[in-house]
Amino acid sequence: MIYYTPAVTYALIVANILVSGYALYGDRNFVNQFAFNVGAVVKGEQHYRVITSGFLHADLFHLIFNMVTLYFFGPPIEGALGKLGFIVLYFGSMIASGITSAIVHRRNPGYSAIGASGAVSGVVLSFCVFEPLQPIYFFMLPIGIPALLYGFIFIVISARQMGDGSRIAHEGHLGGAVAGVILTILMRPDAITRFFG
């Protein structure tokens, strides 16, 4: 991979901090206006919520977790895909996350979700495509999990826990992750051929 100043990654982190900070500590109603909501998106045709919800977070921990993950995984992927490619990956994964959530919760117009997790999941799974054997350390475990195995486990768990009634949008994570893999392969098919070559 090519490493360079990851301007897009840093800009996305700053944007998330500013927007989420305003929503958390300035105007709590801001969340209701711009969160992903099935009824508002599907029936109200407020499609912008698919994007705006990705810059909102439920609390400070939610924000920090997503931004720290983006901070570590974003730069190498931005270096590999270039600025435009990284933008396509990030927002493509975000949109796929919203579409997946809308499909899974189509009979529940009151369902809402916020967070950059769908987009960040796409970035992490893109890393797994480029660096399948690179160890990923999970929840402070001293032994790293190969990225390829981590990606597989992430997708399986997300798929199995969809619609489990928890506050975690597993279906959004799944949609973003799968989109991250597909978009990466479409933009850089050599990532796959290099691994098997």
Side-chain angles (χ1 to χ4, degrees):
M1 290 187 189
I2 301 171
Y3 291 85
Y4 71 115
T5 303
V8 176
T9 299
Y10 293 161
L12 287 168
I13 290 173
V14 170
N16 270 279
I17 291 172
L18 291 176
V19 175
S20 292
Y22 176 74
L24 287 170
Y25 303 107
D27 181 7
R28 292 294 298 182
N29 191 49
F30 193 75
V31 175
N32 297 329
Q33 294 173 329
F34 295 101
F36 174 85
N37 174 270
V38 173
V41 171
V42 177
K43 294 185 178 179
E45 297 187 352
Q46 298 176 16
H47 302 132
Y48 60 86
R49 287 175 178 258
V50 172
I51 300 297
T52 57
S53 62
F55 291 89
L56 299 167
H57 290 81
D59 51 44
L60 188 59
F61 176 79
H62 188 204
L63 173 64
I64 291 173
F65 182 83
N66 277 332
M67 293 306 100
V68 168
T69 303
L70 182 58
Y71 177 80
F72 283 111
F73 289 93
I77 300 307
E78 185 177 341
L81 296 177
K83 290 180 172 57
L84 180 58
F86 187 73
I87 290 170
V88 170
L89 173 75
Y90 189 88
F91 287 98
S93 298
M94 182 184 290
I95 291 168
S97 172
I99 291 172
T100 305
S101 294
I103 292 172
V104 171
H105 297 283
R106 61 190 178 279
R107 293 187 179 88
N108 181 13
Y111 176 82
S112 295
I114 54 176
S117 301
V120 173
S121 294
V123 174
V124 173
L125 267 290
S126 178
F127 180 87
C128 295
V129 172
F130 278 111
E131 300 287 351
L133 301 181
Q134 185 75 17
I136 293 179
Y137 295 88
F138 187 63
F139 282 132
M140 310 303 283
L141 291 177
I143 301 175
I145 302 172
L148 184 64
L149 178 60
Y150 175 89
F152 176 76
I153 293 172
F154 183 90
I155 288 175
V156 169
I157 290 176
S158 297
R160 288 179 61 87
Q161 294 187 322
M162 283 195 309
D164 64 357
S166 71
R167 293 183 60 203
I168 301 174
H170 296 289
E171 64 285 340
H173 296 172
L174 177 63
V178 172
V181 172
I182 293 172
L183 288 169
T184 298
I185 294 173
L186 288 174
M187 290 187 284
R188 286 286 304 274
D190 61 296
I192 294 295
T193 57
R194 181 183 58 187
F195 178 68
F196 289 104

